[in-house]
Amino acid sequence: MNFKKVLLLCLLAFSFSFNLFSQVFDPVKWETKVEKISDTEYDLVSIATIDSGWHLYSQNVPDNGPIPTGFSFTENENFELVGETSEDVGHTVDDPVFQMRITFFENKAEFTQRIRVLNKELSLVQGEVEFMVCDDEKCLPPNYIDLKFNLKDTETVEKDSAGLPSLDLMDATTKILEPVKWSTAVEKINETEFILVTTATIDKGWKLYAQNIEDGGPIPTSFEYTLNEGVALVGNTIEEKGEESMDKVFDMKIKYFKNKTEFRQKIKVLDTAISTVESEVGFMSCDDTQCTAPTYVDLEYDLTKTTAATSDISGNSDSSDDDSSKGLWSIFIIAFFSGFVALLTPCVFPMIPMTVSFFIKQSQSKAKGIRNAIVYGLSIIVIYVLLGTIITAIFGADALNALATNVWFNLIFFILLVVFAISFLGAFEIVLPNSWANKADKQADRGGLVGIFFMALALAIVSFSCTGPIVGTILVEAASKGGIAPVIGMLGFSSAIALPFALFAAFPGWLNSLPKSGGWLNTVKVVLGFLELALAFKFLSQADLVLQLHFLEREVFIAIWIAVFGTLSLYLFGKIQLPHDSPLKHISVGRLLFGLLTLTFTIYMIPGLWGAPLKIISAFPPPLDYSESPYGVGNSKGGGASITDIPEGAHLLAPHDILAFNDYETGLAYAKKVGKPVMLDFTGWACVNCRKMEQNVWVDPQVLSKLKNDIVLISLYVDEQIDFPEGEAPDSKLRPGKKLRNKGQMWSEFQTVTYKTNTQPYYVLMDHNEENLIEPVAYTPDIEEYEAWLKEGIGNFKN
C-alpha cells in the first residue's frame, strides 16, 4: 500500500471517531446546468455548494495526496467531449498533513465540461462526480454522485452528496456505517492443507472484539464454516494478539483489535475437485460513541488462488500465544492448588503415610523405595491426564468451549456442582463400583511397574468420593477455556496429588511431621461442599442471563451467597454440625481465623442488596442492571410516581424503574391506549455506549421524569439471542435468501430498513402513526441537549 493510500485511509477512518449523531455529513450539494454556446456546442456546468469550514479538492492533486475531484461522462455516438473539464481558481496552500501544495475550494465551485452534439435529438447527458471533502478535524469517504444535464431544459437538478449504496431500502439519507471491511486469502501448505486467511480492516477509532469474550461482555467475533464432505477443519480459528484493557462498563478485561487484524483457520482438503470454501463471520464493533448491531458477512475463499504459507499452524495453537498460555497457566495453577486441597480430604490424606511406608518396607533398598514411590506418583499423573485427554477427545477441543457457553450445559454444570456439594456435605458419597477397585487391587498384586500403576489406579477409584467432585469442577472450569485445557487441568491436579508421595518417599523422616488424621479432614471436605454450592449458582446465573428469565437476578444471587457463606461461618464456629463430624470440644486457631474470614466476606456482601458494586466478586453475580431493584432492596430512584400496575408485555427497566416494552407492536398499542408518544430505544445488551447513556444521562431528574411520565419506552435489543420458533424465522431483507437468526437480528434489520442506520444507541421519538416527532439522535452525553431533544419531541406530540 503506497503512502497516499495509507494517509487517505487514516483520514477517512479518523472521521468516524467523532460523534455523527446518526447523521451522514452532507457538506457538499451538487446541482447542474447547461449553457448553450452554439447550435452544436454546450457547456455542462457542475456547481458544488460547500458548507462553511469544509474543503473540496481540485481535480489536480499531486500523487500521495487526498482523492481529487473527478468527472466521468457516459459517452455515446450522440455527442463527444471537447477538451478537459475546467474548474475555478480555488485556493492553493502548503498542506501540513500531506506535506505538499494542494488546491481546494471553499463555499462554492464550478466545473465546466464542453461537449459537441452530433445528434440534434440528444436531450440528456449523464455523468458522475467522484470527490472527497475534509474540514479541520475529519474527512469523509470518497463519494460518487450521478449527474444529469438536460439539454432541453436548463432547470437545475439538485443532487446530494451521500454516495452510499442505492438499494431499494436505501436512499440518499442513509446512515449505514461499515467500520469493518473483510477480505479473504488462501495460503497453501501442501497439496491437501491450506490456511484460510480472513483480514479485517478496521476504521480508525473503532474496535473489533476478539473471539473469546466472557459472558456479559460485548458480542465476540465468530466464524462458521460451510464444509463439504471433502473438507475438514484442523484446530481452531486463531487470531492475532490484539489489545486488552479493563472495560469499566462491563467490569471485565476485554480483548479487541484496532486498524487491521487477521484470523487464520487451517483446513484439510481431501477432495481435489473442491475449489472454494465458504464461511460466515459474525461480529460487532464499537467506537467511543456508538456500536454496530451484530453483523453477519458471507466470505468465500478461493483455493485456486493461493500463496505459499508463511507458517504452519497447529491444530490447537493461537497466534495470541501469550493470552492462550496465560489461560492455560491459570487453569494449571488453580488445578494444582485444588490437588493440594484434595490431599487434605479424609479419602486421600491417610493414604500418604500408609502408601509411602509400604514402598519403603517392601523395597530391598531405600533407593528402590524412592524409585517405586516416584513411579507411583507418575502413574497418578498419567491416570488423571489420560482422563482429561479422553474428555477432550470425546467432545472435541472446539466443542468444549461451545458446550461451556451453552444454556443447557450451564444448567447441567449447575446440577453437577450441586450434587458434588451435597456429597461433600455428607448426605451421600459418590463412589465408583467396588468391582473396579477389586480388579485394580488384583492387578496391583502382580508387582513390578505394572503393579504400581494399578495401585495408583486403585487409589484414584477408592478416593473418588472426595476427589471426584473436585476433578469434576476443574473439568467444568477448564471446558470454558476449550482446547487442551482439560488435559492441563488434570496435569496440575495430579501433580499436586503425586508430589507428596515422591517427597515423603525420598525423605521418610518428614512423615513424623505430618498432622494426624482426625475430624479436621471432614471439616475440609464440608468447607469444599459449601464452596461447590456457591460456585454452582454462577452457572445457573449465566443460563438465566442468556435466556433473560430474570429468575436469578442480582439480589437473589447475592442473597444465596450470603446464606451459603453465613452458614459456613456458623459451621466453622461450631454452631452447626453435619453428618460424619467429630464432636467439637474446642475451636482451633486456624478454624477460628478462617471462620472470621468467612464471616467478614459475608458481611461485605450484604450492602450488595442495596446496590453496592461488590468489586471483589464482580465476575460472579449478574451485572448491576440485571436486578429486581438496581438501587437496592427497598430503594428506587425518582423521576415520577412508582408503577405498581405493570401492563402485559412490559417491565420496569433497570436501573431507573422506567416502564418499558421489548416488543414493538405491544409497546405501540399501549402508547395508543394511554395517549403518549413512543420512544424507540435501539440498544443492545453488549452496547457500551447504551449503558453510558442510561447510567450518566437518564439518571438526571429532568430526563428521568420525562422517560417515566411522558413517553412509552420501547427498548429493542439488536443482540437479543431469543430464537424464533422452529419454522417461523422470517426472511432477511438485507441478505436475500437468508433467514433471520433471532429477535435481535429482526430489530437490527428493522432499524436499518426504517431509519437507514445500523449503530446503537439510537433514539426515535414518534407518534401513533409511526411518524417522527423530531430528528432521531444517537449517543448524546450532554444532559441538557438530550433533555431539550426529549422536550421538543414531546411538545410536538402534544401540539
Side-chain angles (χ1 to χ4, degrees), residues 248 251 554 558 604-625 630-632:
K248 294 181 180 179
D251 198 19
R554 184 178 177 87
I558 294 173
Y604 165 79
M605 289 189 291
I606 292 175
L609 298 174
W610 280 266
L614 304 182
K615 292 184 179 181
I616 293 177
I617 60 169
S618 61
F620 291 92
L624 282 165
D625 60 345
Y631 292 110

Side-chain angles (χ1 to χ4, degrees), residues 34 72 254 261 273 369 461 613:
V34 179
S72 60
I254 295 178
T261 190
I461 294 173

Side-chain angles (χ1 to χ4, degrees), residues 539-575:
F539 293 95
L540 182 61
S541 171
Q542 288 176 344
D544 180 69
L545 191 63
V546 172
L547 294 175
Q548 290 294 301
L549 298 178
H550 289 267
F551 171 74
L552 190 60
E553 293 178 318
R554 184 178 177 87
E555 293 92 344
V556 178
F557 183 98
I558 294 173
I560 290 173
W561 271 39
I562 290 173
V564 169
F565 285 96
T567 305
L568 174 58
S569 301
L570 294 175
Y571 173 78
L572 291 171
F573 290 137
K575 302 301 181 183

Side-chain angles (χ1 to χ4, degrees), residues 168-290:
D168 290 341
L169 55 88
M170 307 292 178
D171 59 25
T173 61
T174 186
K175 313 174 191 79
I176 306 301
L177 295 182
E178 191 181 358
V180 182
K181 313 293 190 304
W182 296 91
S183 60
T184 62
V186 180
E187 294 181 1
K188 186 174 182 179
I189 301 174
N190 53 49
E191 293 303 318
T192 61
E193 293 182 316
F194 300 83
I195 298 175
L196 308 180
V197 183
T198 309
T199 303
T201 303
I202 309 159
D203 286 348
K204 187 173 182 180
W206 288 80
K207 298 177 182 177
L208 174 69
Y209 294 101
Q211 296 178 94
N212 297 308
I213 302 290
E214 292 182 30
D215 291 341
I219 301 296
T221 299
S222 62
F223 291 86
E224 184 176 322
Y225 297 89
T226 304
L227 300 177
N228 297 318
E229 290 185 2
V231 180
L233 298 180
V234 181
N236 303 321
T237 300
I238 65 173
E239 60 189 24
E240 295 182 336
K241 185 175 182 180
E243 301 179 32
E244 189 175 54
S245 63
M246 187 68 187
D247 191 289
K248 294 181 180 179
V249 174
F250 291 111
D251 198 19
M252 64 174 67
K253 280 191 174 182
I254 295 178
K255 179 181 174 182
Y256 57 87
F257 307 102
K258 288 184 174 182
N259 302 323
K260 194 172 186 179
T261 190
E262 279 188 358
F263 299 87
R264 301 165 68 84
Q265 172 65 56
K266 185 176 180 180
I267 64 169
K268 191 164 188 175
V269 180
L270 304 177
D271 184 353
T272 56
I274 295 175
S275 60
T276 60
V277 174
E278 296 180 346
S279 75
E280 180 185 73
V281 57
F283 65 98
M284 73 175 287
S285 54
C286 298
D287 69 0
D288 292 335
T289 64
Q290 57 204 330

Side-chain angles (χ1 to χ4, degrees), residues 597-598 795:
L597 179 64
T598 307

Side-chain angles (χ1 to χ4, degrees), residues 435-569:
S435 60
W436 293 14
N438 293 334
K439 290 179 180 178
D441 282 335
K442 288 181 180 179
Q443 294 295 326
D445 293 338
R446 294 169 57 180
L449 297 181
V450 174
I452 293 175
F453 175 82
F454 280 99
M455 284 182 65
L457 181 59
L459 172 69
I461 294 173
V462 171
S463 64
F464 186 79
S465 60
C466 291
T467 60
I470 299 175
V471 168
T473 305
I474 294 171
L475 289 174
V476 166
E477 186 63 28
S480 66
K481 304 293 182 183
I484 61 170
V487 178
I488 299 299
M490 291 299 94
L491 177 63
F493 178 82
S494 57
S495 297
I497 294 286
L499 188 60
F501 292 96
L503 289 176
F504 284 114
F507 307 99
W510 290 4
L511 290 172
N512 297 325
S513 63
L514 276 180
K516 296 185 180 297
S517 299
W520 66 272
L521 291 174
N522 189 68
T523 300
V524 172
K525 191 176 175 183
V526 171
V527 170
L528 288 176
F530 279 104
L531 296 178
E532 293 263 8
L533 188 61
L535 182 62
F537 285 93
K538 172 191 174 184
F539 293 95
L540 182 61
S541 171
Q542 288 176 344
D544 180 69
L545 191 63
V546 172
L547 294 175
Q548 290 294 301
L549 298 178
H550 289 267
F551 171 74
L552 190 60
E553 293 178 318
R554 184 178 177 87
E555 293 92 344
V556 178
F557 183 98
I558 294 173
I560 290 173
W561 271 39
I562 290 173
V564 169
F565 285 96
T567 305
L568 174 58
S569 301

